Amino acid sequence: MPVEWIDAQPEGHWLLCGRVLDRPFPETVLLAEGGHRIQVNGACTASLAPGDLVRLRAVVDHDPADLFLPVDRAFPVYLAFEAQSLHRPTRSPFARGSETFRFGHDGVRNRLALRHHASDRVRAYFRAQRFLEVETPAIVTCPGLDVHLSAFGVLGHMHPTPSGLPTPYGFLITSPELHMKRLLVGGVNHCFQLARCFRAGEVGRRHQPEFTMVEWYRAWAGLDDVLADTEHLVRAVAEAGPTPGLIRLGDNEISVEEEFAQMTVREAFARWAPDVADPIALAAFDEHEYFRRFSQDVEPGLGFDRPTFLTHFPSVHASLARRFDDDPSVCLRAELYIAGVELCNAFDELTDPGEQRARFEEDQQRRAEMGLPVYPIDEDFLAALEEGMPPAAGNALGLDRLVALVAGRESINDVIAFPHRRG
Amino acid sequence: MGQVIDINELRRGNKIDMDGEPYQVVSVDFRKPGKGTPSTSVKMKSMISGNVLERTYKSGEKLSGADIEEREMQYLYAEGDQLVFMDNGTYEQAHVDAKHFEERGFLLDNAICQVLLHNGTPIGVTLPTWVEMEVIETEPGFKGDTANNVLKAAKCTTGVIVQVPIFINQGDMIRIDTRTGEYAERVAKTR
């Protein structure tokens, strides 16, 4: 039933609580209650005004079946004999820009429910696979060194120091990667978390400065294993959506039921940017041009026939992924695309402490050249690699993007209760 | 001259100068492939010709804001294809070409509007967000027929037709959002 039932009510009586949407007739109000719309009649409702938060004592007057109303308009009609307005708004809750408007009229509430079901299904999948759900620090001293990520700084005690400013304390994580890999070294072989990650300066249809990452690692496993996990997760979340088994974005419909496709970066450029003779060489030689062509020509074509894993990325963008032994110009990294939307980034993890240190130092040097803050190298992480990290694969999947796709929305802002805005 | 806008600060609705023509930003799309460099593609519409342009910028690029003045003026009357507005402070008048209006049905006599001037020349008018008008013609509503998502057409004072909930009757005053042309709510009658 769309109403809250209080035991103390005499039998047959209902306590209706909600907001008055409209008063179409002097003794009739339309009430919004928990996403439902109900009609209440009764002389006592005459003093209520649209927008009021109200409490009504009522009985079911008639059942929709008695009225022969079409199903989509069927709701019981109540007869109220006592009405109380708890709050009369001093500003309109129905104006655009109001929270009531946003959650009540734009379908945001339904999409927040979809989010809830999505994280439920993600957890259910990993529990069934015997993963441990973990939590790792959100405030760190060494945020990722990736040259194209920018971390938020965190201030310590707000008591001013002699300089008049609070002391810097650390940074918010851009990804929980390094800590989760340390868990692998410690013998936690299968772990996952739904981590809030923070990246400064990223606001757009598919970017938010804080967002939720589903991140997981499998020790003694390879890239294919985490890509298989990804397929299961996407299917499980799509089942909770309005079009089970299907992702519908604009005019595109993509089934997630069949096996996902795979395509290498070279193959993708050959198909959508054939004038680029060697994308792997281009990435090393002119990174900006590579990403320009990638964003403009390749990405908008990916994942429309069926979900597609892009593989064999240039090693200059290997980050923390292993390079192929037989072709070190490319690495064991994969991204999933559905309808041109990048959903995840998977690595066959680099476990060699020497190579990892060299890559960190190179990133530091590039950051210095670009005039970016140079964060320290995470020595605890490197020490863990020296102790020995088992061969492993991991993946990081943007939950907001997946939920937005399943909801058929272009922008992740539509599935976030309070998104950050530009400017 | 307008001020300089950093591409990272650019928002929808900003007005920028492209080769001396004022453009309004329609959408700003921040893009960033995994482990890649960010770029921002901007869709903008000429405030004069209505032409749409799309450009992609790297982070850190700068655009120049258009010299647009928005002045509060009252609508007086129509004179051929020109609509005459007056600044109630200075009594200065501005003639605005009617082609700048897609929908004149929401422009009420004496309405206080925002007139846009580019380097002093009127190029557009922003209507008040909310207008209240009387419904002069619509099918009658039925008591009990209160499902809010069923709409019907209603003709208002200026002749404009708006979709309203089924319980709205002839003679009701309704509030309309001029940005979308949608019914917002029923208001108490003032006359």
Side-chain angles (χ1 to χ4, degrees):
Chain A
M1 292 304 283
V3 289
E4 191 183 347
W5 190 62
I6 305 285
D7 285 339
Q9 294 289 310
E11 198 175 340
H13 288 215
W14 297 88
L15 183 67
L16 307 177
C17 303
R19 194 187 287 278
V20 176
L21 290 172
D22 208 332
R23 198 153 67 83
F25 304 103
E27 295 179 6
T28 299
V29 289
L30 294 179
L31 207 65
E33 203 285 336
H36 298 269
R37 219 181 270 274
I38 54 182
Q39 181 180 334
V40 189
N41 300 323
C44 60
T45 66
S47 64
L48 303 179
D52 284 3
L53 289 178
V54 298
R55 199 151 57 179
L56 300 142
R57 270 153 62 77
V59 290
V60 175
D61 193 18
H62 45 248
D63 206 80
D66 301 341
L67 295 173
F68 301 103
L69 285 174
V71 175
D72 63 326
R73 285 165 55 191
F75 44 75
V77 174
Y78 291 88
L79 179 65
F81 44 87
E82 202 179 313
Q84 188 188 11
S85 173
L86 302 174
H87 175 77
R88 176 147 300 173
T90 44
R91 58 183 291 167
S92 170
F94 303 132
R96 250 163 221 278
S98 97
E99 279 167 16
T100 302
F101 185 91
R102 177 164 154 80
F103 296 116
H105 298 230
D106 282 356
V108 180
R109 182 184 10 224
N110 292 341
R111 295 195 289 275
L112 294 183
L114 178 60
R115 248 193 114 89
H116 165 99
H117 294 305
S119 40
D120 252 9
R121 279 157 188 260
V122 167
R123 289 199 163 95
Y125 172 76
F126 283 121
R127 291 212 174 109
Q129 295 281 316
R130 299 178 156 274
F131 274 62
L132 198 66
E133 180 166 7
V134 298
E135 293 183 79
T136 53
I139 303 175
V140 296
T141 42
C142 307
L145 281 163
D146 189 309
V147 290
H148 301 305
L149 293 185
S150 173
F152 284 101
V154 177
L155 295 175
H157 290 293
M158 293 308 287
H159 312 300
T161 54
S163 69
L165 294 168
T167 40
Y169 182 77
F171 302 91
L172 293 178
I173 50 162
T174 55
S175 144
E177 187 164 5
L178 302 185
H179 280 103
M180 289 186 77
K181 287 186 185 171
R182 283 166 67 187
L183 291 173
L184 296 179
V185 174
V188 180
N189 280 345
H190 299 114
C191 56
F192 83 99
Q193 74 173 314
L194 272 65
R196 187 67 68 92
C197 298
F198 305 88
R199 294 177 181 181
E202 300 192 2
V203 190
R205 278 190 308 166
R206 307 216 165 110
H207 293 83
Q208 276 282 306
E210 54 179 311
F211 61 98
T212 304
M213 194 95 100
V214 181
E215 182 132 350
W216 73 96
Y217 290 87
R218 274 181 185 273
W220 308 103
L223 197 56
D224 288 342
D225 299 298
V226 293
L227 298 189
D229 288 332
T230 311
E231 290 197 27
H232 289 301
L233 286 172
V234 169
R235 277 185 203 123
V237 173
E239 274 309 305
T243 52
L246 212 60
I247 279 173
R248 190 177 282 163
L249 193 66
D251 298 331
N252 300 294
E253 279 190 358
I254 300 124
S255 165
V256 297
E257 297 295 332
E258 290 119 67
E259 198 187 339
F260 293 7
Q262 292 206 9
M263 188 183 254
T264 67
V265 168
R266 274 188 214 278
E267 287 164 354
F269 270 84
R271 175 149 171 209
W272 288 293
D275 57 302
V276 176
D278 185 349
I280 305 303
L282 179 65
F285 165 74
D286 184 350
E287 182 183 48
H288 195 84
E289 179 64 8
Y290 168 84
F291 281 120
R292 193 181 71 79
R293 296 303 303 270
F294 185 82
S295 295
Q296 189 178 301
D297 302 317
V298 179
E299 201 171 31
L302 277 165
F304 283 88
D305 301 333
R306 62 162 102 173
T308 303
F309 288 111
L310 194 63
T311 63
H312 294 69
F313 279 80
S315 282
V316 284
H317 304 136
S319 191
L320 288 86
R322 224 157 42 78
R323 292 186 293 187
F324 278 92
D325 293 332
D326 51 354
D327 180 3
S329 71
V330 287
C331 63
L332 283 121
R333 175 184 155 199
E335 286 184 350
L336 175 63
Y337 283 86
I338 300 179
V341 179
E342 176 209 334
L343 279 174
C344 73
N345 188 28
F347 291 157
D348 196 310
E349 304 295 345
L350 177 67
T351 52
D352 177 336
E355 184 171 350
Q356 186 63 75
R357 180 179 295 278
R359 286 194 200 175
F360 280 159
E361 284 168 355
E362 202 176 306
D363 281 342
Q364 278 188 322
Q365 196 184 332
R366 283 196 62 200
R367 293 189 75 94
E369 284 162 13
M370 291 166 79
L372 300 171
V374 180
Y375 308 130
I377 287 178
D378 190 334
E379 291 295 343
D380 293 334
F381 170 64
L382 286 177
L385 290 191
E386 280 164 19
E387 285 177 31
M389 176 171 135
N395 198 359
L397 183 148
L399 186 67
D400 311 87
R401 288 190 188 176
L402 179 57
V403 173
L405 271 183
V406 168
R409 308 299 293 192
E410 286 281 353
S411 170
I412 61 170
N413 292 355
D414 295 340
V415 299
I416 293 172
F418 300 103
H420 294 247
R421 304 284 183 194
R422 275 181 83 85
Chain B
M1 270 310 287
Q3 90 268 36
V4 173
I5 306 174
D6 187 285
I7 189 69
N8 291 334
E9 304 293 317
L10 192 72
R11 308 171 74 153
R12 187 171 67 184
N14 279 165
K15 290 147 190 130
I16 52 176
D17 247 335
M18 298 290 290
D19 313 320
E21 200 174 324
Y23 280 82
Q24 182 155 27
V25 175
V26 180
S27 67
V28 181
D29 190 11
F30 173 87
R31 291 184 195 166
K32 189 167 180 294
K35 315 285 168 206
T37 53
S39 63
T40 304
S41 55
V42 181
K43 204 183 257 181
M44 54 195 129
K45 190 174 174 182
S46 165
M47 297 174 73
I48 293 171
S49 65
N51 288 343
V52 175
L53 261 187
E54 193 164 356
R55 297 257 171 106
T56 301
Y57 298 91
K58 291 187 229 178
S59 284
E61 283 195 75
K62 308 259 190 287
L63 299 173
S64 79
D67 178 14
I68 296 280
E69 187 197 349
E70 201 172 41
R71 209 193 284 185
E72 195 175 278
M73 295 179 108
Q74 187 170 27
Y75 171 59
L76 298 181
Y77 52 86
E79 194 180 86
D81 308 344
Q82 305 270 302
L83 303 176
V84 183
F85 288 82
M86 184 173 73
D87 184 324
N88 284 335
T90 62
Y91 304 109
E92 242 177 288
Q93 293 195 353
H95 291 247
V96 180
D97 211 314
K99 73 175 183 205
H100 293 309
F101 286 87
E102 281 170 23
E103 177 54 84
R104 263 166 75 177
F106 298 127
L107 180 61
L108 303 184
D109 286 348
N110 302 321
I112 304 287
C113 302
Q114 302 294 325
V115 176
L116 282 185
L117 305 160
H118 180 235
N119 300 324
T121 316
I123 53 161
V125 176
T126 312
L127 295 174
T129 311
W130 304 103
V131 292
E132 288 176 13
M133 277 196 275
E134 188 180 335
V135 173
I136 56 168
E137 205 181 307
T138 190
E139 304 276 322
F142 298 101
K143 187 171 167 78
D145 205 352
T146 48
N148 259 23
N149 47 2
V150 179
L151 299 175
K152 62 174 180 178
K155 193 172 180 182
C156 299
T157 340
T158 58
V160 70
I161 290 173
V162 177
Q163 295 295 316
V164 299
I166 212 138
F167 56 75
I168 294 293
N169 284 312
Q170 204 161 303
D172 282 349
M173 288 293 284
I174 58 169
R175 182 170 292 145
I176 301 161
D177 186 333
T178 60
R179 295 165 298 187
T180 57
E182 282 168 14
Y183 162 90
E185 60 185 334
R186 189 165 60 161
V187 292
K189 275 176 218 181
T190 48
R191 14 178 185 160

CSV table of all heavy atoms in Angstrom, one decimal, chain A residues 95-97 101, chain B residues 102 106 126-131 176-182:
chain,number,residue,atom,x,y,z
A,95,ALA,N,8.5,24.9,-7.8
A,95,ALA,CA,9.2,25.6,-8.8
A,95,ALA,C,10.4,24.9,-9.3
A,95,ALA,O,11.0,24.2,-8.5
A,95,ALA,CB,9.6,27.0,-8.3
A,96,ARG,N,10.7,25.0,-10.5
A,96,ARG,CA,12.0,24.5,-11.1
A,96,ARG,C,13.1,24.9,-10.2
A,96,ARG,O,13.2,26.1,-9.8
A,96,ARG,CB,12.2,24.9,-12.5
A,96,ARG,CG,12.0,23.9,-13.5
A,96,ARG,CD,11.9,24.4,-14.9
A,96,ARG,NE,10.9,23.7,-15.6
A,96,ARG,CZ,11.1,22.6,-16.2
A,96,ARG,NH1,12.2,22.0,-16.2
A,96,ARG,NH2,10.1,21.9,-16.8
A,97,GLY,N,14.1,24.0,-9.9
A,97,GLY,CA,15.2,24.4,-9.0
A,97,GLY,C,14.9,24.0,-7.6
A,97,GLY,O,15.9,23.9,-6.8
A,101,PHE,N,10.8,19.5,-6.5
A,101,PHE,CA,10.6,19.4,-8.0
A,101,PHE,C,11.5,18.4,-8.6
A,101,PHE,O,11.1,17.5,-9.3
A,101,PHE,CB,10.8,20.8,-8.6
A,101,PHE,CG,10.4,20.8,-10.1
A,101,PHE,CD1,9.2,21.1,-10.5
A,101,PHE,CD2,11.4,20.4,-11.0
A,101,PHE,CE1,8.8,21.1,-11.9
A,101,PHE,CE2,11.1,20.4,-12.4
A,101,PHE,CZ,9.8,20.7,-12.8
B,102,GLU,N,10.5,33.6,-30.9
B,102,GLU,CA,9.9,32.4,-31.5
B,102,GLU,C,8.5,32.3,-31.1
B,102,GLU,O,7.6,31.8,-31.9
B,102,GLU,CB,10.6,31.2,-30.9
B,102,GLU,CG,12.0,30.9,-31.6
B,102,GLU,CD,12.8,29.9,-30.9
B,102,GLU,OE1,12.2,29.0,-30.2
B,102,GLU,OE2,14.0,29.9,-31.0
B,106,PHE,N,3.6,34.6,-25.2
B,106,PHE,CA,3.9,34.7,-23.8
B,106,PHE,C,4.3,36.2,-23.4
B,106,PHE,O,4.6,36.5,-22.3
B,106,PHE,CB,5.0,33.8,-23.3
B,106,PHE,CG,4.7,32.3,-23.5
B,106,PHE,CD1,5.5,31.5,-24.2
B,106,PHE,CD2,3.5,31.8,-23.0
B,106,PHE,CE1,5.2,30.1,-24.3
B,106,PHE,CE2,3.1,30.5,-23.1
B,106,PHE,CZ,4.0,29.7,-23.8
B,126,THR,N,14.6,38.5,-23.2
B,126,THR,CA,14.3,37.4,-22.4
B,126,THR,C,13.0,37.8,-21.6
B,126,THR,O,12.9,38.8,-21.0
B,126,THR,CB,15.4,37.2,-21.3
B,126,THR,OG1,16.6,37.2,-22.0
B,126,THR,CG2,15.2,35.9,-20.6
B,127,LEU,N,12.0,36.9,-21.8
B,127,LEU,CA,10.7,37.1,-21.2
B,127,LEU,C,10.8,36.9,-19.7
B,127,LEU,O,11.7,36.1,-19.2
B,127,LEU,CB,9.7,36.2,-21.8
B,127,LEU,CG,9.3,36.4,-23.2
B,127,LEU,CD1,8.4,35.3,-23.7
B,127,LEU,CD2,8.7,37.8,-23.4
B,128,PRO,N,9.9,37.4,-18.9
B,128,PRO,CA,9.8,37.0,-17.5
B,128,PRO,C,9.6,35.5,-17.4
B,128,PRO,O,8.9,34.9,-18.3
B,128,PRO,CB,8.6,37.7,-16.9
B,128,PRO,CG,8.2,38.7,-17.9
B,128,PRO,CD,8.8,38.3,-19.2
B,129,THR,N,10.3,34.8,-16.5
B,129,THR,CA,10.2,33.4,-16.4
B,129,THR,C,8.7,32.8,-16.3
B,129,THR,O,8.3,31.9,-16.9
B,129,THR,CB,11.0,32.8,-15.3
B,129,THR,OG1,12.3,33.4,-15.3
B,129,THR,CG2,11.2,31.3,-15.3
B,130,TRP,N,8.0,33.5,-15.5
B,130,TRP,CA,6.6,33.1,-15.2
B,130,TRP,C,5.6,34.1,-15.7
B,130,TRP,O,5.8,35.3,-15.5
B,130,TRP,CB,6.4,32.9,-13.7
B,130,TRP,CG,7.4,32.0,-13.1
B,130,TRP,CD1,8.5,32.3,-12.3
B,130,TRP,CD2,7.4,30.6,-13.2
B,130,TRP,NE1,9.2,31.2,-11.9
B,130,TRP,CE2,8.5,30.1,-12.4
B,130,TRP,CE3,6.6,29.6,-13.8
B,130,TRP,CZ2,8.9,28.8,-12.3
B,130,TRP,CZ3,6.9,28.3,-13.7
B,130,TRP,CH2,8.1,27.9,-13.0
B,131,VAL,N,4.6,33.7,-16.5
B,131,VAL,CA,3.5,34.5,-16.8
B,131,VAL,C,2.2,33.9,-16.3
B,131,VAL,O,2.1,32.7,-16.2
B,131,VAL,CB,3.4,34.8,-18.3
B,131,VAL,CG1,4.5,35.6,-18.8
B,131,VAL,CG2,3.2,33.5,-19.1
B,176,ILE,N,2.5,29.9,-16.2
B,176,ILE,CA,3.2,29.2,-17.3
B,176,ILE,C,4.7,29.6,-17.2
B,176,ILE,O,5.1,30.7,-17.0
B,176,ILE,CB,2.6,29.6,-18.7
B,176,ILE,CG1,1.1,29.3,-18.7
B,176,ILE,CG2,3.4,28.9,-19.8
B,176,ILE,CD1,0.4,30.0,-19.8
B,177,ASP,N,5.5,28.5,-17.4
B,177,ASP,CA,7.0,28.7,-17.5
B,177,ASP,C,7.3,29.1,-18.9
B,177,ASP,O,7.1,28.3,-19.8
B,177,ASP,CB,7.7,27.4,-17.1
B,177,ASP,CG,9.2,27.6,-17.0
B,177,ASP,OD1,9.7,28.5,-17.7
B,177,ASP,OD2,9.8,26.8,-16.3
B,178,THR,N,7.8,30.3,-19.2
B,178,THR,CA,8.0,30.8,-20.5
B,178,THR,C,9.2,30.1,-21.2
B,178,THR,O,9.3,30.1,-22.4
B,178,THR,CB,8.2,32.3,-20.6
B,178,THR,OG1,9.3,32.6,-19.8
B,178,THR,CG2,7.0,33.1,-20.1
B,179,ARG,N,10.0,29.5,-20.4
B,179,ARG,CA,11.2,28.9,-21.0
B,179,ARG,C,10.8,27.6,-21.7
B,179,ARG,O,11.4,27.2,-22.7
B,179,ARG,CB,12.3,28.5,-19.9
B,179,ARG,CG,12.8,29.8,-19.2
B,179,ARG,CD,13.5,29.4,-18.0
B,179,ARG,NE,12.6,28.8,-17.0
B,179,ARG,CZ,12.9,28.5,-15.7
B,179,ARG,NH1,14.2,28.8,-15.3
B,179,ARG,NH2,12.1,28.0,-14.9
B,180,THR,N,9.8,26.9,-21.1
B,180,THR,CA,9.4,25.6,-21.7
B,180,THR,C,8.1,25.7,-22.3
B,180,THR,O,7.7,24.8,-23.0
B,180,THR,CB,9.4,24.5,-20.6
B,180,THR,OG1,8.4,25.0,-19.6
B,180,THR,CG2,10.7,24.4,-19.9
B,181,GLY,N,7.3,26.7,-22.0
B,181,GLY,CA,5.9,26.8,-22.5
B,181,GLY,C,5.0,25.9,-21.7
B,181,GLY,O,3.9,25.6,-22.2
B,182,GLU,N,5.5,25.3,-20.6
B,182,GLU,CA,4.7,24.4,-19.8
B,182,GLU,C,3.8,25.0,-18.7
B,182,GLU,O,4.3,25.9,-18.1
B,182,GLU,CB,5.6,23.3,-19.2
B,182,GLU,CG,6.0,22.3,-20.3
B,182,GLU,CD,7.2,21.4,-19.7
B,182,GLU,OE1,7.4,21.4,-18.5
B,182,GLU,OE2,7.8,20.7,-20.6
